Amino acid sequence: MKRELTLSQLRHLTLESQGLTKPNPFGTGKNAVLTALEQLGYLQIDTLSIVERAHHHTLWTRIPDYQPVYLNELVQERKIFEYWFHAASYLPMKDFRFALPQMLDIKQSTTHYYNADPKVMQYVLDTIRTEGPKKSRDFEKETKKAGSWWSWKPTKIALERLFLQGDLMISNRNGMQKTYDITENVLPQNIDTSIPTDMEFAEYLVKTYLQAYGFTTIKQITHLKTGGLIRKNVEEILKSMLQEGTIQRINIENSPPIFIKNDLLEKSLDNATSSIQLLSPFDNSIIHRDRIKLFFDFDYKIECYTPKEKRIFGYFCLPILFGDTFIGRVDCKAHRKEKEFELIHLHVENTTINLELWLKPFLELVKSFATFNNCETLKLTQVTPSKLTNTILKFNNHG
């Protein structure tokens, strides 16, 4: 039996699936990191460090006692691994086999971006096999020896190519410095390494998105996956799941067909939340910008890649989510040497919600996030609308 859902109920359902509606949704400590990653399906790794990097920020949002060392410890324990989802990501080790098709494609490709010199690739492989795990800078030292016929750049390209085609895995990470090892040395023996069929891969994508978001669309499932075959297979999997009764298809005005898990439809969806979140621009919940625009009426774009003169909100704006409503965004920067966390420009975009409902918890959240960024003081530079500046400063000074 079909159930009619309001837009608000859909928003709550997807935020709950994302772990954004209650404290400690995945538990606490390092175990919560693995639980969260298995629920979300992947965790995007980002190099930008204007504030704490995206992979750490995303987990801190859901795990209050999160420590950045947890991720690398889980890599060392072989419970998670690094590879490509729609971007460089951490993935649950149990899903390793679903990375194999892309590895195979890259291995067979002669035109891929990492078109490394085969001789250098063989040298890199032989060196790691003989001497053990290596960082890219270890090869940089080698290039300075007299008589070296290779240079650091080709060895770095070779490392990346060997990683992407599955001959190497990342066994350790210190910040953005990666350590590479032979895949057979990293991969647990009990991991399934059979290459999934096209239909198995499509089923993995469908189930990953349904689990992580509660409901999904074909466009989201096939995000950045090129070719007609993957879409055809996804449609087949969805059709089969509809026939089994594990999902339902619902239609919302101005939206493509939505596919939703049946077990979620049986839950109470009226538990409104008033929690407040300061999200990373690369948070799983907001990474699909058209989905956020469609279901949350929030038009979001990160502007660090936009020329300065064309930016509207700022270099690194973090979306602010209150309950199931995006009430604004704030351009932030952690000045780590000065131990000062700056709110460069706070944009309050939803002024229909009473400021007193969200401002105090927001400022408490920002202070907590500043501490997570190893900052001790908070600085508010600009507010839009400007008429709110004095009110916000007063709240902050008495908070």
Side-chain angles (χ1 to χ4, degrees), residues 31-43:
N31 288 339
V33 175
L34 183 58
T35 303
L37 189 55
E38 289 180 344
Q39 170 67 20
L40 300 176
Y42 76 96
L43 182 70

Side-chain angles (χ1 to χ4, degrees), residues 167-186:
D167 292 306
L168 297 178
M169 289 182 74
I170 293 167
S171 61
N172 193 16
R173 178 187 276 271
N174 182 11
M176 298 310 292
Q177 183 70 242
K178 297 173 284 191
T179 300
Y180 300 85
D181 198 0
I182 304 296
T183 292
E184 63 196 45
N185 295 338
V186 178

Side-chain angles (χ1 to χ4, degrees), residues 350-365:
N350 187 318
T351 54
T352 61
I353 298 176
N354 191 326
L355 199 68
E356 293 189 7
L357 290 176
W358 64 264
L359 186 54
K360 185 177 179 181
F362 170 71
L363 291 171
E364 289 172 354
L365 178 67

Side-chain angles (χ1 to χ4, degrees), residues 314-374:
Y315 184 84
F316 205 72
C317 265
L318 311 182
I320 305 167
L321 177 68
F322 179 61
D324 67 357
T325 304
F326 285 93
I327 58 173
R329 66 198 90 194
V330 57
D331 190 24
C332 295
K333 184 177 176 66
H335 301 281
R336 293 179 178 87
K337 285 185 180 179
E338 297 82 4
K339 291 191 174 296
E340 180 181 77
F341 193 87
E342 183 181 7
L343 307 183
I344 300 169
H345 196 159
L346 172 60
H347 303 265
V348 180
E349 296 164 62
N350 187 318
T351 54
T352 61
I353 298 176
N354 191 326
L355 199 68
E356 293 189 7
L357 290 176
W358 64 264
L359 186 54
K360 185 177 179 181
F362 170 71
L363 291 171
E364 289 172 354
L365 178 67
V366 168
K367 288 172 185 175
S368 179
F369 189 56
T371 301
F372 184 61
N373 280 268
N374 296 313

Side-chain angles (χ1 to χ4, degrees), residues 62 69 141 271 287 301 317 353 380 383:
R62 294 159 173 83
V69 295
K141 294 172 186 173
N271 300 323
I287 199 65
K301 175 186 177 184
C317 265
I353 298 176
L380 176 63
V383 178

Side-chain angles (χ1 to χ4, degrees), residues 94-137:
K94 67 181 181 63
D95 291 339
F96 179 80
R97 68 185 291 248
F98 297 106
L100 290 172
Q102 185 168 344
M103 292 177 181
L104 194 60
D105 285 347
I106 292 171
K107 196 162 194 170
Q108 295 172 345
S109 169
T110 57
T111 57
H112 191 267
Y113 175 75
Y114 293 107
N115 194 17
D117 185 324
K119 289 183 180 179
V120 180
M121 287 171 66
Q122 191 59 54
Y123 161 74
V124 167
L125 265 180
D126 290 343
T127 302
I128 293 176
R129 190 172 281 117
T130 303
E131 300 179 12
K134 295 285 185 185
K135 304 177 181 69
S136 61
R137 68 184 182 191

Side-chain angles (χ1 to χ4, degrees), residues 197-208:
T197 64
D198 290 341
M199 290 301 287
E200 284 177 324
F201 183 73
E203 183 179 25
Y204 156 71
L205 288 179
V206 169
K207 290 185 174 178
T208 295

